[in-house]
């Protein structure tokens, strides 16, 4: 009995949330122009100055709470009526959730959650609260942002690879594909998987068969791509 819906996997990055007012990392004036990664987003930074790290994520958490999903997030949620959709996001915001997408995997963590600084499997919801020194986990260790820092393992990478390896359609939205292992996902999908890339810039470093680029703003081009995928449904591959 064949599947009745094609498997569509989305890999999203900061560019999908840019028009919701959340800064990207590597665009001009982006977060990594404003902050030194080594001061706020590494385990060494946490050891050296936890308050600076907590403050960096408290500020970003406030912005996430104030932000709203945009037409790109909403269009991807709409796709679930027509395709078996999985969202693999590098973003730590909850805009895909608030747009109504159901199957979301956060490769780099979730800013509205905290984890025990000793036992990373102990994760709690903090929603919009500020994390402060002295906020402790149930076993008495300092709580830290539930975010994957540079140099740390990406615990959900295997799950993400499995999801992408089964995709019939792979849609990449708003990521510079600069950060590994996440960027490797582009090489994980099946050869005949239909690939789409939505980005403000022409991603020239990406040469693939079966790849269509939708250059432009996510809020304009993602709804266009979704309309096309709904009007001309891609049938599941039987392989
Ligand atoms: N519409 C579409 N694409 C956009 C828009 C927009 N409005 N604005 C920016 N972009 C694109 C940029 O052209 C770029 O390709 O989004 C991408 C943003 O790239 P980065 O800032 O590098 O963000 P991202 O790829 O998500 O970074 C990956 O790096 O710092 C770490 O953990 C962090 O998850 C993050 C990871």
């Amino acid at each position: 009995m064949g599947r009745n819906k094609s498997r569509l996997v989305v890999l999203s990055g900061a560019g999908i949330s840019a028009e919701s007012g959340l800064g990207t990392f590597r665009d001009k004036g982006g977060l990594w122009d404003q902050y030194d990664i080594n001061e706020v987003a590494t385990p060494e930074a946490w050891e050296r100055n936890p308050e600076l790290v907590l403050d960096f994520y408290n500020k970003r958490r406030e912005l996430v709470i104030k932000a709203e999903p945009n037409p790109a997030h909403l269009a991807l949620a709409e796709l679930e009526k027509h395709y078996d959709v999985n969202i693999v996001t590098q973003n730590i915001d909850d805009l895909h959730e608030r747009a109504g997408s159901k199957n979301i995997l956060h490769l780099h963590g979730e800013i509205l959650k905290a984890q025990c600084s000793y036992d990373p499997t102990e994760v709690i919801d903090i929603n919009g609260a500020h994390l402060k020194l002295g906020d402790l986990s149930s076993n008495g260790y300092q709580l830290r942002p539930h975010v994957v820092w540079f140099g740390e393992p990406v615990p959900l990478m295997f799950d993400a690879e499995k999801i992408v390896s089964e995709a019939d359609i792979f849609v990449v939205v708003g990521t510079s594909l600069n950060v590994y292992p996440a960027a490797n996902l582009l090489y994980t999908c099946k050869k005949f998987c239909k690939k789409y890339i939505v980005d403000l810039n022409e991603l020239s470093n990406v040469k693939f068969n079966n790849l269509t680029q939708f250059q432009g703003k996510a809020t304009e081009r993602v709804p266009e791509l979704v309309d096309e995928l709904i009007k001309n449904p891609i049938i599941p591959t039987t392989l």
Side-chain angles (χ1 to χ4, degrees), residues 12-16 18-19 23-27 32 37 60 90-92 108 147-148 150 173-179 182 198-201 203 216-219:
S12 65
I16 199 171
E19 291 160 89
T24 61
F25 295 94
R26 295 171 185 82
D27 291 316
W32 299 144
I37 287 178
R60 290 181 61 197
Q90 299 171 90
N91 299 340
I92 57 177
H108 295 160
V147 172
V148 177
F150 287 91
V173 184
T175 174
S176 61
L177 294 167
N178 262 319
V179 170
V198 179
D199 200 279
L200 210 52
N201 300 331
L203 291 189
K217 287 183 175 177
T219 54

Side-chain angles (χ1 to χ4, degrees), residues 75 214 218-231:
F214 277 63
T219 54
E220 290 163 10
R221 306 306 320 264
V222 173
E224 269 178 48
L225 170 57
V226 165
D227 283 349
E228 187 176 305
L229 289 168
I230 292 172
K231 281 201 188 82

Side-chain angles (χ1 to χ4, degrees), residues 4 9 47 50 96 99 117 162 166 173 177 192 195 211:
N4 59 358
V9 179
E47 289 309 312
H96 283 301
S117 53
K162 183 161 179 345
E166 293 168 351
V173 184
L177 294 167
F192 47 80
K195 301 169 207 64
L211 171 69

Side-chain angles (χ1 to χ4, degrees), residues 3 18 29 51 56 78 89 91 93 100 102 130 132 143 149 175 219 223 232-234 237:
R3 284 178 282 124
E51 276 171 311
F56 173 66
E78 181 65 21
T89 185
N91 299 340
D93 63 52
K102 292 287 170 293
H130 274 207
K132 301 180 302 305
L143 284 170
W149 285 328
T175 174
T219 54
N232 315 306
I234 296 172
T237 46

